[in-house]
Amino acid sequence: MDRVKTIDEIYSEVSDCSLVITNDVALMTALNARVDRPMIGTFAATPRGIASLCAMEILGEPMKSDMALVRAICDDTGYDFRTVHGEVQNIRQIRRYTADVRKYMATKVSRKVLDSFESLPTIEMAMSSFDPERSPFFTEQKGEIAVVGAEFFDDLDKHFIPYDCRFVDIFADGDFGIEEIREVGNDREIAVNMADLIGADNADDCAVVLDASSPIADSVRSALYSRGIPFYNKLGVRDLAQIRDYLQFVTLSLSFDILHVRDVRELYSNYNGFFLPGLDMYLLSKLDAADARERGTELIALMRDARSMTFGEMREKLCDRRAKIQVGIVLEDLGLSDRRITGELVGELRYAVDNFPDLRHNEEVPIEEKSGVLIADCKNSVFVDRSLIFFLDMDASWDISVAGMRYADSEAEAEKNAMRMAALLQQGERRIYMVNATKYGRPARPALTFDVLCGKPAESFADISGCIVKGRWHADREEIRQDLGEERLEDAETIIGAFSKSAFNCYFSCPRMYFFSRIISSPETDVADFGNLVHDFAQLYICYPEIVRQEGFDRLVDIASDRYSGLSTPLMEKIDRDRIYCAMRNVARYIDSRHIGPVPLDRPADEKHVNRFFERYGLDRWSSASEVGAISRDHPMYGKFDAVAPGAVMDFKTGKAKTGDDIRRGMSSEIPSRYPEFQPIIYSLLAEENGGRKDLEMFYAMENDWESMGDGYDINRSVRTVRLMDESLEEIIRSDALLRRQMEEKLAKEFRECAEEVLAAVAETSRGLPASEWDGNPSVIGAVLDAAGLKSTETNIKKASAAVRKIAKAVSEGMVSDGETVEISLEARNEFLDMLERMHGEAVEYACGSYPARPRVRCEDCRYFPACTADRTDAGEETVE
């Protein structure tokens, strides 16, 4: 790319002139700072700055501010504030490129807004009417006038170029190349490495060039702030506490009848209004004068009467002397001071505060925010007058799009943007270019503008610079090797350990998911907190039922609600209390129905798991009937039962209730569920091995929550039973009562009455065949027809095939289920244990290598997907690193 002149070189060319015109504000400031002779007036100026100075001379009246302009057009056209603001922004954007704005006004609304816009005193009218040959600002200059960077002037800027002037090009002879680019990592790492090179003593010499709207801007501010390094901060009116509080007050006033004290307590304190403690749940409109201090009572009256007041009256009664000034400026610009408070006008005020970047105010920017590191926007800057400059990212976020701008010459704009970027990249005496190694899981790609600068497609940063340095900053020193020890291969099994139910679910879903689950902790959620609460209560009720009966559910809910009520949002507080009450009551009823207790308090409390109820009542003894750990002696698996009862183990669930069919599908290895769940079979096997129990009862505490609160509710409707069968699948088909009842309901009427005989025929003839082939096997179909007493006609054969398909589907995966029960055959049990052993062996093997990404579920459903370095793939496809 062509070499760009330094600011000092440009100044040397224009130092003998009396006026320099440039549309780059940073260059104007830098040139004015370099003036080394006595001067009266301005040395360097921008066209817009000159137009503002000469507005009265050109227009005969002051220019309107942005808000006042939009308000005037609203009053003239009758259109709403948001519509007019959008049209004005569009008009101003088009006017930068062409004077024929009307040609691009496609609607009646936009044309009407344009008519009103052109009749008002604006900066655009002043610039388009400016004549440099007649303006005293130009004609009274004693020396020559210079124009710097005229190629970057827009259509309005060009009105300020006099006929007789000196044009100064910002480019010089020679070429410029980026010697080195550093690939550091992600945005946070870039920001941290950049901040490491800046100190408080040299902050005024440094600048950072980036896309101000990209996430890296927040990372940079955070890194500088955490190190105490000052940086320039532009204070917007939306950041002023006085305006923000006023806006919040009038907004809440419109909902006065439904406000609670808690909704306004903090806001009122900003206006010296305070309430007595313990009133947060009370409606504001129901309070007496004795419930608040004098100023608080006044504020309540203001809110109550807000709809009958104007914005100006509210300001006078609400704000102190300083806030009146701040709020008054904004209200005057919007023309709201004498208008009555309404929802529509409050919306306009909020919209203006959120969307007008140049609202007028007289708040002084703190001195510590007037100096330090300059953060420059790559899309609005050309010249940066700092010694050390960091250029960050330089990816697609740096591109300035001209898509959809019919009024602009796209090729000319692309060339101009390339020249602007070329000049920007050469600023500073010392330049450091830092980019991401990857973006969204792929190698980072430079901005498309580099294609123009390089004269060829720039696929990577290596196409821009011949020297790509990877990694963070470091000093060149002699390598110091340390003996970090070793791990023997035979220790891998110890490192992996047995599978818990969640660990196996992860490994089954994808080995990479299991790997991430070992090293990345998942954040606590309100769902998990609610589940922990219910489990803690269940343990309390099993071990100390007398405490629960003595205290009562309401008291226990109050204790729990201090932390758990309103977990999702404050508005959910009442609902959360009801959910906690419902769960506690149902769990207690279920435990009572299983006749657990009295239980022995035969072990000390687990120090690793703190039960908040035990801690509250000072209880230090647990029972072996609750929170029972179980480890398999023969297979690599373990678990913890919530409780044990005669003949069954119990597991309390607080999530959405599942049917027996849902539970069976979750344990499918042939057709994996979206969220596989093998806890039922793992816990059933552990229960059999540790105590000989055959049944796992899964109790859904929140199923039929409203109906379950009635005294007549059968609590067994919320129980799902998973049962290990000693029979083979053939024996189950032949004699299982659950399967027979299902077939008596689901089979066609020709086979329904003889369902037992049909099942026996299928069991006898399907031996050794996969279930998917039963409906096409002549022997199976013939036996079914014989059992039903039907002739072998084409119609009957189709009916028999349909019946066999229903039977095959009902026993798929070697399990039988209905709405409440899942039965696991001997084959399904053995197949699962074989799969468990095989996957555990793989995990041990991978422990000393790398975990492959072999997802059985969609990558998007994996909670570790953002951290995974494998390419995204659909379940069953191979992946690459």
Side-chain angles (χ1 to χ4, degrees):
M1 64 186 81
D2 294 336
R3 187 181 75 83
V4 174
K5 298 174 184 177
T6 66
I7 296 177
D8 289 330
E9 289 177 325
I10 294 175
Y11 178 72
S12 66
E13 292 188 36
V14 300
S15 60
D16 59 333
C17 298
S18 61
L19 178 64
V20 179
I21 302 173
T22 176
N23 70 344
D24 188 86
V25 177
L27 178 59
M28 175 199 72
T29 304
L31 292 176
N32 284 329
R34 282 166 170 75
V35 175
D36 54 3
R37 68 178 190 272
M39 282 196 66
I40 297 176
T42 302
F43 175 65
T46 63
R48 288 184 175 269
I50 297 172
S52 299
L53 290 173
C54 303
M56 282 294 295
E57 170 194 327
I58 302 170
L59 304 175
E61 59 180 317
M63 291 189 303
K64 287 187 175 293
S65 67
D66 289 350
M67 275 199 303
L69 172 66
V70 173
R71 168 55 60 198
I73 297 176
C74 289
D75 295 340
D76 182 39
T77 61
Y79 298 135
D80 67 89
F81 196 85
R82 291 173 175 82
T83 299
V84 171
H85 181 233
E87 293 293 346
V88 168
Q89 286 182 307
N90 188 41
I91 291 169
R92 285 182 155 168
Q93 177 70 12
I94 296 173
R95 187 61 189 89
R96 289 177 176 270
Y97 294 90
T98 176
D100 190 7
V101 178
R102 190 171 301 276
K103 178 180 178 181
Y104 301 97
M105 297 289 100
T107 66
K108 179 182 178 181
V109 172
S110 58
R111 288 190 291 270
K112 191 172 181 180
V113 171
L114 176 61
D115 291 336
S116 181
F117 179 86
E118 290 179 339
S119 67
L120 295 171
T122 61
I123 186 70
E124 286 77 15
M125 178 182 288
M127 294 181 74
S128 60
S129 303
F130 187 83
D131 185 353
E133 305 305 319
R134 296 184 179 181
S135 172
F137 192 89
F138 277 47
T139 58
E140 293 178 1
Q141 295 293 335
K142 302 301 182 182
E144 194 173 2
I145 298 176
V147 177
V148 179
E151 59 269 31
F152 298 118
F153 281 28
D154 61 30
D155 188 73
L156 289 172
D157 293 336
K158 292 175 182 177
H159 287 80
F160 292 78
I161 301 177
Y163 292 117
D164 184 16
C165 66
R166 180 192 305 177
F167 288 99
V168 179
D169 192 358
I170 67 169
F171 291 96
D173 295 335
D175 295 329
F176 174 83
I178 299 177
E179 297 179 357
E180 177 185 279
I181 295 178
R182 287 191 168 267
E183 287 187 351
V184 176
N186 57 34
D187 289 346
R188 185 189 64 81
E189 291 173 324
I190 290 177
V192 169
N193 279 266
M194 175 215 70
D196 285 343
L197 298 179
I198 303 175
D201 56 337
N202 71 335
D204 289 324
D205 300 324
C206 301
V208 183
V209 180
L210 45 70
D211 175 23
S213 62
S214 67
I216 196 173
D218 293 330
S219 298
V220 167
R221 294 187 184 99
S222 176
L224 294 174
Y225 182 79
S226 63
R227 287 164 172 75
I229 300 173
F231 59 93
Y232 271 94
N233 186 32
K234 183 179 180 182
L235 185 66
V237 74
R238 65 182 61 87
D239 300 316
L240 296 179
Q242 295 91 340
I243 294 175
R244 185 174 61 248
D245 289 344
Y246 177 85
L247 177 58
Q248 185 181 7
F249 193 92
V250 294
T251 300
L252 290 174
S253 298
L254 300 177
S255 306
F256 176 76
D257 292 333
I258 60 173
L259 290 178
H260 292 80
V261 172
R262 66 185 180 196
D263 300 324
V264 300
R265 182 182 289 276
E266 182 179 355
L267 176 63
Y268 274 36
S269 67
N270 295 338
Y271 291 107
N272 295 317
F274 300 96
F275 298 94
L276 296 180
L279 299 174
D280 281 3
M281 300 299 295
Y282 284 82
L283 285 171
L284 194 63
S285 58
K286 303 298 183 181
L287 293 185
D288 297 326
D291 293 325
R293 296 182 183 177
E294 182 178 356
R295 179 57 175 166
T297 305
E298 293 175 2
L299 295 175
I300 294 174
L302 278 180
M303 275 196 167
R304 181 184 290 111
D305 301 335
R307 290 181 182 273
S308 63
M309 302 170 63
T310 65
F311 285 91
E313 291 171 344
M314 177 65 77
R315 183 197 65 165
E316 289 296 326
K317 296 181 179 180
L318 178 66
C319 302
D320 59 21
R321 183 181 60 82
R322 185 179 182 185
K324 286 179 182 178
I325 299 173
Q326 307 294 341
V327 176
I329 293 174
V330 178
L331 295 180
E332 288 297 330
D333 278 354
L334 275 174
L336 294 178
S337 292
D338 298 325
R339 303 187 67 173
R340 195 172 299 279
I341 296 174
T342 64
E344 181 181 359
L345 294 180
V346 170
E348 288 187 8
L349 176 60
R350 180 176 296 279
Y351 178 85
V353 169
D354 289 341
N355 292 278
F356 283 79
D358 58 345
L359 291 183
R360 295 188 297 114
H361 59 85
N362 62 354
E363 182 79 2
E364 287 295 327
V365 178
I367 189 64
E368 63 271 14
E369 296 181 359
K370 287 186 174 182
S371 63
V373 179
L374 173 66
I375 301 178
D377 188 355
C378 63
K379 296 180 179 178
N380 296 324
S381 305
V382 176
F383 287 89
V384 181
D385 189 20
R386 293 295 174 99
S387 302
L388 174 60
I389 302 181
F390 297 87
F391 299 89
L392 308 186
D393 266 5
M394 300 193 300
D395 58 3
S397 64
W398 280 46
D399 288 319
I400 301 175
S401 175
V402 293
M405 297 166 58
R406 296 181 296 113
Y407 44 83
D409 185 337
S410 57
E411 292 186 5
E413 285 302 308
E415 186 69 27
K416 184 185 295 185
N417 291 335
M419 294 169 60
R420 182 181 289 110
M421 183 181 289
L424 178 60
L425 292 172
Q426 299 180 47
Q427 299 304 300
E429 298 175 11
R430 177 73 172 91
R431 295 168 288 274
I432 300 176
Y433 306 91
M434 304 171 72
V435 300
N436 290 120
T438 61
K439 275 279 190 178
Y440 310 112
R442 299 183 181 278
R445 190 193 188 283
L448 293 175
T449 307
F450 281 106
D451 295 355
V452 179
L453 294 177
C454 297
K456 62 178 182 180
E459 299 292 340
S460 69
F461 287 102
D463 296 325
I464 300 172
S465 173
C467 180
I468 303 296
V469 181
K470 298 181 181 293
R472 60 176 292 140
W473 296 102
H474 67 279
D476 291 328
R477 299 175 183 171
E478 183 179 353
E479 183 179 6
I480 301 176
R481 292 184 175 273
Q482 295 180 347
D483 185 7
L484 299 180
E486 61 180 18
E487 284 184 341
R488 293 174 297 167
L489 184 62
E490 56 266 28
D491 290 335
E493 189 165 356
T494 303
I495 296 171
I496 294 300
F499 279 139
S500 66
K501 56 101 176 176
S502 57
F504 182 79
N505 291 339
C506 286
Y507 191 92
F508 177 85
S509 300
C510 178
R512 184 65 67 89
M513 183 189 294
Y514 170 75
F515 167 74
F516 280 121
S517 72
R518 298 292 300 273
I519 61 176
I520 299 178
S521 60
S522 299
E524 285 292 328
T525 64
D526 57 335
V527 176
D529 285 338
F530 182 72
N532 292 338
L533 165 66
V534 173
H535 283 77
D536 286 350
F537 169 78
Q539 188 179 24
L540 175 69
Y541 192 68
I542 291 172
C543 297
Y544 299 95
E546 67 280 2
I547 292 180
V548 176
R549 297 188 183 105
Q550 178 181 346
E551 294 289 301
F553 291 123
D554 290 329
R555 173 59 179 160
L556 294 174
V557 169
D558 289 338
I559 294 173
S561 295
D562 290 342
R563 175 178 176 183
Y564 293 101
S565 287
L567 283 173
S568 48
T569 66
L571 296 177
M572 294 286 289
E573 185 172 343
K574 177 63 169 63
I575 295 175
D576 286 337
R577 284 181 56 87
D578 292 344
R579 290 179 67 232
I580 294 172
Y581 183 93
C582 175
M584 285 184 176
R585 186 173 184 273
N586 287 342
V587 166
R589 292 177 62 189
Y590 169 63
I591 293 173
D592 289 341
S593 71
R594 295 307 184 262
H595 306 291
I596 302 176
V599 298
L601 302 176
D602 51 3
R603 61 188 177 117
D606 187 351
E607 295 181 357
K608 295 181 179 179
H609 174 76
V610 179
N611 184 312
R612 60 276 300 154
F613 294 109
F614 278 50
E615 188 176 38
R616 176 65 178 261
Y617 292 105
L619 308 174
D620 58 359
R621 301 295 296 177
W622 287 12
S623 171
S624 56
S626 69
E627 297 296 323
V628 183
I631 302 175
S632 174
R633 296 179 297 275
D634 303 321
H635 305 286
M637 60 181 179
Y638 71 94
K640 178 178 282 189
F641 306 139
D642 292 339
V644 293
V649 297
M650 304 159 68
D651 192 70
F652 304 111
K653 301 290 187 184
T654 55
K656 181 181 179 182
K658 295 182 179 180
T659 66
D661 296 329
D662 295 332
I663 295 171
R664 186 186 71 172
R665 283 191 289 269
M667 295 186 289
S668 173
S669 59
E670 295 179 4
I671 306 176
S673 169
R674 183 176 182 182
Y675 300 105
E677 181 54 75
F678 288 90
Q679 182 202 18
I681 189 170
I682 290 176
Y683 275 32
S684 297
L685 290 167
L686 289 171
E688 183 184 46
E689 186 177 341
N690 294 266
R693 300 173 179 85
K694 295 290 187 181
D695 290 355
L696 166 68
E697 291 190 354
M698 305 168 70
F699 176 69
Y700 290 92
M702 298 304 296
E703 184 179 21
N704 305 318
D705 48 359
W706 179 259
E707 185 181 355
S708 67
M709 298 302 290
D711 293 334
Y713 179 74
D714 182 5
I715 202 66
N716 289 309
R717 289 174 56 190
S718 301
V719 179
R720 307 291 181 266
T721 301
V722 180
R723 180 172 298 128
L724 291 179
M725 307 295 289
D726 292 327
E727 295 82 11
S728 66
L729 182 60
E730 179 182 338
E731 294 170 325
I732 289 175
I733 297 174
R734 189 187 305 275
S735 58
D736 187 72
L738 174 62
L739 179 62
R740 185 173 65 253
R741 287 196 303 270
Q742 283 187 316
M743 294 303 103
E744 288 173 349
E745 296 175 358
K746 294 182 178 180
L747 292 180
K749 63 180 180 180
E750 294 89 347
F751 307 100
R752 191 179 303 155
E753 296 179 355
C754 54
E756 185 174 358
E757 291 79 6
V758 169
L759 289 169
V762 172
E764 184 68 28
T765 56
S766 64
R767 190 180 299 117
L769 291 174
S772 59
E773 298 179 6
W774 292 357
D775 63 335
N777 187 280
S779 300
V780 176
I781 300 301
V784 169
L785 290 173
D786 292 341
L790 298 175
K791 295 181 179 180
S792 182
T793 64
E794 183 176 353
T795 301
N796 289 339
I797 289 174
K798 290 181 179 180
K799 292 180 179 180
S801 295
V804 171
R805 277 195 297 274
K806 291 181 179 179
I807 296 172
K809 183 178 180 180
V811 298
S812 63
E813 301 284 344
M815 291 178 277
V816 179
S817 64
D818 63 3
E820 291 78 32
T821 306
V822 180
E823 295 180 343
I824 303 175
S825 70
L826 194 61
E827 289 92 339
R829 175 199 313 203
N830 293 333
E831 287 175 5
F832 172 77
L833 289 174
D834 290 342
M835 179 173 66
L836 176 77
E837 295 283 358
R838 185 181 71 256
M839 291 186 173
H840 186 265
E842 291 176 354
V844 172
E845 179 183 349
Y846 296 148
C848 297
S850 61
Y851 282 78
R854 294 202 308 264
R856 291 184 175 87
V857 297
R858 297 190 310 173
C859 285
E860 292 86 343
D861 291 335
C862 176
R863 60 182 177 274
Y864 304 110
F865 176 60
C868 188
T869 57
D871 286 343
R872 182 175 61 184
T873 180
D874 293 328
E877 295 183 1
E878 292 295 326
T879 62
V880 296
E881 294 299 321

